[in-house]
Amino acid sequence: ISLTQNNLAEIATHITSPTYSRNDLEIGIVHVGVGGFHRAHQAFYTNKLQETKNANEWAICGVGLREGDRKIYDVLKKQDGLYSLIIKHPDGNIETSIIGSIKDILLSVDDPKAVVQRMANPQTKIVSLTITEGGYNFDASTGEFNFNNTDIQHELQNPDDPKTVFGYLTAALKKRWDSALPAFTIMSCDNIEHNGDVTQKMVMSFAKKQNPDLAQWIENNVSFPNSMVDRITPVTTQADIEYLEKEYGLKDEWPVTCEPFIQWVIEDDFSNGRPELEKVGVQFVPNVKPYEKMKLRLLNAGHSVLGILGALHGHQTINACMEDATFVKYLRTFMDIEATPTLDQLEGIDLDTYKDSLEARFANPNIKDSVSRICSESSAKLPKFLIATLSDNLESHNSIEFATLVIASWCYYSDKQLNKDGQPIEVIDAMAKELHEAAKQTSSDPLSFIKQKSIFGNLADNERFANQYKEKIAKIYNDTDIKKHMKEMI
Ligand code: NAD
């Protein structure tokens, strides 16, 4: 049976499905970037809230801004916005449910006007984003908006022909201003430290150049709450699609799988109302920064540590790394002696318990999160996840060697693109070319990789780091058996 609204009553006889009337839902949220994570997290919480039968004005309209979103657009159109969420527990138990909170989907490359209209619609109260770190268009070393992007230059000159998220947001906000409508909240749900502040800074930089009067209105009217989001959501596999067919006879062309753990901590700062997500477990706090720092520097950094070292060793998944005692010990030591000392005390959170739970989550044998997903876009991720910790530790004269080995490994990975057994590694990164070019010079200039200022700032000038890094580079280039080098340190 195909997953569609018409078939939902029948599907509901054997899979948990929406019990609220989807017809009565109105779109209150426009979400840009309907990837796996949005569907496992925000859309899941929203669906849960809709189950209380008291949240009809908060349905979601998904938006894809890239040609690459055509597949999800086609699938969700065909399935009336419905999809299955497959929650995989560490003990092998699997919970499947149908999520109904996404009511519509738009693809901007086909119909840019419809996207602007939807955001400008009086019912829209929130525009939320999961557009990956790269979508924010900032220079990682300066943190400033990148005006050299050709799409951005086009939008600055042609406000009626938006291309990037910045062009769409300002075009829609201009319409709302012109029609005397309240502004919507812009809510980033990406893994970026101070995601709301960063979004605000980028939107304001763009708007000030495009239309200073509009920028002033945005400044006075739009809120940008910071948030910390968490739920490990691996890339969907063919096996997940087949599981639904075999287990339930259900044809879902793009289900999502995830772990049972879920968390969302968000600042209670909304321009135009918000759903009562506290009723379904979301935490609203005055200041989210200490929570996000903990998560980025332990969970996300932990993932990158396992991912990059795992890629060189030849592990395919994060749980395979966690079956390897050397990786487990290395990860824990990194978290204990390098990441934890840079964190603030958090009321109600015991960091040792949090780290224990991370180890258990990473080890979930049913999640099989691929090392390649974790390593993708490392040039955008590592400055926030790992290099920030390294810089803090340089300042406080604390240990840096665990993070440094990861960075030296990343250089080798970008240079040779091979694991220790000579098997090829596919580097998925917007900066893949630049990374490769810089890494390739290592034999003539051992510091060439860390001289990339947009990633490392001026860190190559720090003598202590440069020396440690050179030492690790020499080791790895001499002997690619990364586990041997890890073992020496633990
Ligand atoms: P995904 O690849 O499934 O989806 C990414 C989405 O971002 C796509 O819709 C894509 O079109 C869009 N996108 C990418 N670059 C863009 C740009 N420049 N402009 C506009 N849209 C752009 O990835 P995902 O697993 O859904 O993860 C998305 C983000 O969610 C991550 O980058 C991260 O910040 C956050 N997140 C993910 C997880 C996870 O476990 N997957 C956990 C926490 C947070």
Side-chain angles (χ1 to χ4, degrees):
I1 188 165
S2 303
L3 180 53
T4 61
Q5 182 63 39
N6 277 341
N7 292 339
L8 202 53
E10 194 183 330
I11 293 167
T13 60
H14 52 295
I15 307 180
T16 309
S17 300
T19 61
Y20 51 90
S21 162
R22 294 185 75 228
N23 259 338
D24 295 338
L25 298 182
E26 284 176 2
I27 289 165
I29 300 169
V30 175
H31 182 81
V32 184
V34 189
F37 179 65
H38 170 71
R39 295 196 289 150
H41 192 260
Q42 188 184 343
F44 166 84
Y45 272 124
T46 306
N47 178 76
K48 209 168 161 189
L49 185 64
Q50 275 145 0
E51 282 297 340
T52 67
K53 315 278 161 65
N54 207 2
N56 277 351
E57 72 272 40
W58 295 109
I60 298 168
C61 173
V63 169
L65 292 186
R66 316 178 109 199
E67 184 54 38
D69 291 308
R70 187 168 297 282
K71 185 177 160 208
I72 189 69
Y73 170 80
D74 286 343
V75 170
L76 287 185
K77 268 279 168 219
K78 201 150 87 180
Q79 299 186 172
D80 303 311
L82 295 165
Y83 63 94
S84 324
L85 187 66
I86 307 171
I87 301 179
K88 295 184 177 173
H89 292 260
D91 63 3
N93 185 24
I94 299 181
E95 277 174 273
T96 302
S97 53
I98 309 295
I99 305 294
S101 50
I102 299 184
K103 181 147 177 173
D104 195 9
I105 176 127
L106 299 169
L107 189 63
S108 71
V109 279
D110 282 356
D111 195 350
K113 286 211 167 61
V115 173
V116 176
Q117 290 294 358
R118 180 40 77 190
M119 291 180 177
N121 188 299
Q123 282 171 11
T124 300
K125 299 175 191 75
I126 295 173
V127 175
S128 52
L129 315 173
T130 47
I131 52 176
T132 78
E133 294 76 357
Y136 292 83
N137 196 50
F138 55 80
D139 179 311
S141 70
T142 62
E144 298 301 322
F145 192 73
N146 172 18
F147 284 104
N148 295 329
N149 179 329
T150 47
D151 284 342
I152 297 283
Q153 286 181 354
H154 173 87
E155 295 172 318
L156 287 173
Q157 302 310 319
N158 304 279
D160 295 330
D161 186 22
K163 301 268 182 230
T164 76
V165 69
F166 301 100
Y168 278 97
L169 290 171
T170 52
L173 286 166
K174 171 83 168 55
K175 271 191 183 293
R176 295 183 82 97
W177 184 31
D178 288 346
S179 326
L181 285 171
F184 45 69
T185 298
I186 301 181
M187 178 170 82
S188 166
C189 296
D190 273 296
N191 273 335
I192 295 177
E193 201 167 354
H194 315 338
N195 53 11
D197 296 348
V198 169
T199 310
Q200 178 173 35
K201 183 170 169 184
M202 298 306 126
V203 170
M204 292 311 299
S205 304
F206 177 84
K208 275 183 191 153
K209 257 231 161 103
Q210 192 193 49
N211 179 342
D213 294 336
L214 175 65
Q216 190 57 54
W217 186 81
I218 296 176
E219 189 159 331
N220 296 340
N221 291 280
V222 178
S223 46
F224 297 83
N226 289 298
S227 64
M228 182 267 246
V229 293
D230 195 1
R231 182 171 236 184
I232 295 173
T233 309
V235 178
T236 306
T237 63
Q238 189 56 33
D240 299 321
I241 295 174
E242 284 164 13
Y243 166 78
L244 292 175
E245 280 230 53
K246 270 203 206 112
E247 187 71 20
Y248 302 105
L250 180 70
K251 271 205 180 72
D252 179 343
E253 293 184 26
W254 203 341
V256 182
T257 59
C258 61
E259 62 169 345
F261 183 91
I262 186 163
Q263 192 175 22
W264 193 1
V265 187
I266 182 160
E267 288 170 2
D268 200 353
D269 175 20
F270 287 75
S271 336
N272 191 13
R274 64 161 173 87
E276 292 178 295
L277 288 164
E278 65 274 27
K279 289 188 172 161
V280 290
V282 176
Q283 265 173 284
F284 287 91
V285 298
N287 179 9
V288 84
K289 285 176 186 163
Y291 295 88
E292 59 180 2
K293 191 170 173 190
M294 170 189 79
K295 191 239 167 187
L296 293 169
R297 292 188 178 199
L298 291 173
L299 182 140
N300 298 109
H303 254 157
S304 294
V305 165
L306 294 176
I308 290 184
L309 299 173
L312 278 198
H313 178 73
H315 286 313
Q316 299 296 318
T317 60
I318 294 298
N319 57 295
C321 297
M322 295 301 285
E323 283 162 20
D324 185 329
T326 306
F327 278 74
V328 174
K329 184 81 197 290
Y330 190 96
L331 170 73
R332 187 63 185 228
T333 318
F334 160 77
M335 292 199 291
D336 285 345
I337 73 169
E338 294 191 2
T340 305
T342 72
L343 300 177
D344 314 303
Q345 276 297 327
L346 267 179
E347 213 174 296
I349 292 195
D350 176 73
L351 285 176
D352 283 325
T353 313
Y354 182 76
K355 286 181 273 190
D356 292 344
S357 86
L358 286 184
E359 286 186 22
R361 292 169 62 196
F362 290 165
N364 185 334
N366 299 306
I367 287 298
K368 296 189 176 52
D369 205 358
S370 65
V371 157
S372 84
R373 179 186 87 86
I374 297 300
C375 294
S376 69
E377 307 305 335
S378 284
S379 64
K381 293 173 175 173
L382 291 194
K384 299 288 178 207
F385 298 174
L386 194 68
I387 299 168
T389 294
L390 200 148
S391 300
D392 283 358
N393 283 331
L394 280 171
E395 222 161 88
S396 59
H397 307 285
N398 193 11
S399 164
I400 55 164
E401 65 167 337
F402 284 77
T404 305
L405 182 74
V406 177
I407 290 171
S409 302
W410 184 31
C411 170
Y412 185 88
Y413 163 107
S414 309
D415 177 3
K416 309 288 183 199
Q417 310 189 0
L418 295 171
N419 70 20
K420 72 163 193 324
D421 303 320
Q423 300 293 323
I425 295 173
E426 189 198 356
V427 178
I428 308 166
D429 199 300
M431 284 185 67
K433 243 198 194 141
E434 291 92 327
L435 293 169
H436 179 62
E437 284 305 313
K440 225 170 58 179
Q441 315 295 325
T442 301
S443 52
S444 52
D445 172 6
L447 299 182
S448 62
F449 189 69
I450 58 168
K451 283 183 180 165
Q452 298 176 92
K453 285 203 176 348
S454 72
I455 297 172
F456 295 98
N458 292 325
L459 275 187
D461 300 338
N462 183 298
E463 213 182 307
R464 183 170 157 234
F465 173 55
N467 286 338
Q468 281 256 359
Y469 176 79
K470 267 194 274 190
E471 187 198 304
K472 304 287 185 217
I473 279 286
K475 284 196 164 156
I476 297 170
Y477 276 74
N478 252 332
D479 181 351
T480 51
D481 185 356
I482 190 69
K483 224 163 111 168
K484 194 170 115 189
H485 307 312
M486 292 162 72
K487 271 189 187 151
E488 274 173 17
M489 295 164 59
I490 54 182

